[in-house]
Amino acid sequence: MSFFKDRNCYLKDYNLSIKEKLLRFNFSYLFLICLVVFIGIALLYSAGNGSWYPWANKQFFRFLLSLCVLIAVSLTNLRFWMKYAYLIYGASLILLLAVTLFGTVGMGAQRWLNFGIIQVQPSEVMKIAMVLALARYFHGASLEEVRSIKYMIPPALIVLVPVALILEQPDLGTALMLVFAGFGLFFLVGVQIWKFILIGILGLISIPILFHFLHDYQKQRVLTFLNPESDPMGAGYHILQSKITLGSGGFFGKGFLQGTQSHLNFLPEKQTDFIFTVLGEEFGLLGSLFLFLIYMIIIGYGFVIAARCSNFFGKLLAMGLTINFALYVFINTGMVMGLLPVVGVPLPLVSYGGTAMLTLFFAFGLIQCVNINQEMVIGRRGSIDE
Amino acid sequence: MIIWRYQKAQSIAHRMIVLAVFFLLISFILIGRLFYLQVFQGEKYQLMAERNRVSIRLTLPPRGNIFDRNGVKLAGNRKTFQAIFTKEQTNDVQKTLDSFSKLIPLDAAERTRIEKEISRKRAFMPVRIKEDLTFDEISAIQLNIPDLPGISIEEGFTRFYPEKDTTTHAVGYVSLILEEDVEKDSPLLDLPGYRIGRSGVEQSQNEWLKGTPGMRKTEVNAFGRSVRVLEDNPPVPGNDLILTIDARLQKIATQAAGEESASIILLDVHTGEVLALVSTPSFDPNLFNRPIPQNVWNKLINNPKRPMRNKTIADIYSPGSIFKLVVALAGLESGDITLHKQIYCSGKTKVGNQQFHCWKREGHGHLNVVEALQHSCDVYFYEISQKIGVDKISAMAARLGFGSLTGIDLVGEKAALLPTRKWKEENRHDSWRIGDTLNLSIGQGFLNATPIQMAKMAAQIANGGMEITPHLVKKRTEIPSKKLLGLKPAHLKIIQTGMGLVMNEEGGTGYASRFNLNGQKMAGKTASTQVRRITLKEREEGIKSQDELDWEHRDHGIFVGFAPLNKPKYAIAVVIEHGGGGARSAAPIASKILKEAIRLDMESSSLSLKEGK
């Protein structure tokens, strides 16, 4: 931390003690996050036909590990992330490149890097790394700069290069999330609305061209999404069964462990992408609304923390990660309700899966870090200027 | 430099509000969707989830047995064994099928059906490989079961008719249920081996015989494997049925008919019980237990003697001279003739400018009513019918059951046609002419009748004028009919005497077929009906002998009768298609059956006398 110490520090928040940091830690925010995880573990217990195995137990231990990561990350100095943002982004890009070259194939796509003991999913890491890099880039940008097209070329590349690599894997869901998160940040820092409209139009025009480059299974998914009843036993099966599971829960649900659709395996991937329907089936509209409200509050907290933060890096970091989280929620629930095609986006904090949980907790650690350091002033180049 | 910072902070704050509103909007859409799916469409999806979850499988109920009046089994259920194959129990389907076909050959069509079914059904669902295994086949499979992974033997049952082709048209047959038999998507269609009655009492009493399928509701998982039983109702077997027919008389009648295309009905004159109902040629109803081979089927439906048809109730014939019984009765009842009134037959009579011939060209001379019946004189009836008139003849015929259903408990009975003045005006747009009356008087012309109607008429004349309803299903107590037709017993006695003369007096048309079994005799009336018109040219050239004609151009032979003569118990009707005349073809058959019926009666009564001692 020497690079800002040698400057003339006049602000008291440079060196917060652990105690001070803990005092600024947002415990209700953490509580809501843990609540969602516990709901998730209960659902995994049900999905395992009323058993801790094979999912709920593992998820619980992942939660404990992730919780440690969250706390550790929240206690770091925000300037550290500012300083190493590009480095982290670069490293993630290399990992992403490595996965295209040497990655393990799983579920029909190359997503994993196998390091012997642990497997890493670089696309998950990239979700944070890209936000870090963009937050760093836009931290010192003035509105005039943002409005110039030339200035916007590097951040566009920061988004598009990993998106291209991830599409290559192929992982449409993650790629879309990166694009939308990038758009969100561009929007926040003040890129003119007409540019978004222009890109939107261009995107619509290019859909048929892009569709041509999709893999067959992806094309099928999109087509099935448009008309799921056309093939109820084949590709439409997921969507139809998902809707049946959710809808059959009714207002009050069938009761915990009483879901027939999930317990009799009519629901594919019930422990991962479709876990929201297990909640809907067993706890009805009340249960699914409850979870949805918690999600909205968590997202709201992200907005508040970002709004309170006095430095742009923290603001943009918290917003980027919150947008990312919101996208998870919206895409997953939209998908299981039959509003979006099945693109393979898990329900955050609930779906079974280690990497996703760890990355999410890491991101929440960063948001907590922003919260703790909300009064910190960071200069245009990462130190204190002006 | 603070200014750009301030402007930027303002811009971000502004844009954050826009973004927050946007997110709220998305949230409301998603919440709305949740409401729609879980509340508005909740019931629909609950139903779909239930349909996913619950599988209903029916189990076959055994069909009721059918017995004859003496307890002889006419239809029952036979245990069968079938080889079934379950895919999940083997890793090489082809190898198992190959080794199976080494033991029991499977033809190419069967093999493709099996393979198709295996690939279509889920791995744990059994597929039928071979039905109705013989004992040798079962032991061959049992011995080689280690080489036949996935093959197992399953018990089932099929319908069995021990009397084979002798009881076919009375009992009927069953065959596998088809889509057109039930309403759409009936679960019965998925019940392998479920059969329904196609003819005879199997068809008319199907509801009584069929039983109720068992229903097993199980919870199934996504792969269709059942997880637990929710509800299990065992099948309820069908009710047994006792018929009025006598298996021994069925056999006798069938044998008596020989190769002829015949309808034979034997009735109890007092109760209307059908003791024998035979339509020949017949077929073995056991044929329909399994898919019937095409060539066998073609043979059945292309046979000109129509073995598939129950001619006793569904075919109509001109009754011919047996109708003279009705005309005579009508005359006696109306007073237009009396027992002693004689009429002269010269061999022909002229009505208007038309010549009507008697079958005997040289004429019968003077005849009274019983002699007219004995010789079946046409001229006698031409003469009296003009006096009686069509209305009274038709009315009498209707009273005896012509022109309406007898009400026999079988499906497919025809009412046939009894012409009246009104009928002709309405249907032929022509007035009734005297020639029509003359034709009617000898049972020709528009008139026709089913064999069962003829039998009913004979029974009602024999029982002293009580109305009966022929029936095959035995009632708990069969009581003699007391329903009077309102005919004078003395007049019926005259008719009965005439019928007695036919059989037992020299010159009677059925004299050659008479019998005398310990004093028991029979009575009857013959008829021969032309299947085509005799042209004037043919009449001039001399009528050809029946043997010279092609089978399908020969006359139908018809006979109705009863026995014993003095105390009638049985009535019979026999129709031999193209038999070449009633006296020649039908009377001997009727005689044989009545004689056997009386002989069986005597045997059983002497047996019961012995037992009484």
Side-chain angles (χ1 to χ4, degrees), chain A residues 91-137:
Chain A
S92 303
L93 210 56
I94 289 166
L95 284 177
L96 213 49
L97 210 62
V99 93
T100 7
L101 298 175
F102 323 108
T104 322
V105 176
M107 311 273 291
Q110 240 180 358
R111 293 176 192 178
W112 303 85
L113 266 187
N114 208 333
F115 286 111
I117 327 164
I118 54 158
Q119 290 185 320
V120 176
Q121 209 179 333
S123 56
E124 286 294 314
V125 178
M126 184 49 87
K127 282 178 189 166
I128 294 175
M130 190 195 79
V131 173
L132 276 172
L134 288 176
R136 164 82 206 252
Y137 187 84

Side-chain angles (χ1 to χ4, degrees), chain A residues 138-139 141 187-188 190-191 241 243 246-248 250 260-261 264-266 280 285 288 303 312 337 380 386, chain B residues 4-5 8 12 15-16 18 23-24 27 30 33 35 37-39 42 45-46 52-53 219-222:
Chain A
F138 288 121
H139 168 71
F187 175 75
L188 281 181
V191 174
Q241 292 301 334
K243 275 159 62 174
L246 202 58
S248 65
T260 57
Q261 285 284 104
L264 298 170
N265 287 320
F266 285 101
L285 182 70
S288 32
F303 272 77
F312 290 122
M337 288 186 227
R380 269 190 127 165
E386 64 243 63
Chain B
W4 76 264
R5 218 179 242 281
K8 186 177 174 186
I12 289 178
R15 293 244 164 143
M16 268 171 71
V18 175
F23 278 8
L24 272 175
S27 299
L30 290 169
R33 178 73 172 173
F35 260 101
L37 287 177
Q38 298 196 286
V39 179
Y45 286 120
Q46 271 160 31
N52 268 345
R53 180 177 84 97
E219 188 170 84
V220 293
N221 65 14

Side-chain angles (χ1 to χ4, degrees), chain B residues 575-587:
Chain B
V575 177
I576 309 293
E577 286 190 334
H578 310 294
R584 208 172 83 138
S585 60

Side-chain angles (χ1 to χ4, degrees), chain B residues 39-55:
Chain B
V39 179
F40 295 115
Q41 296 221 291
E43 264 175 58
K44 170 186 147 190
Y45 286 120
Q46 271 160 31
L47 216 73
M48 288 170 88
E50 196 66 8
R51 229 182 297 153
N52 268 345
R53 180 177 84 97
V54 179
S55 146

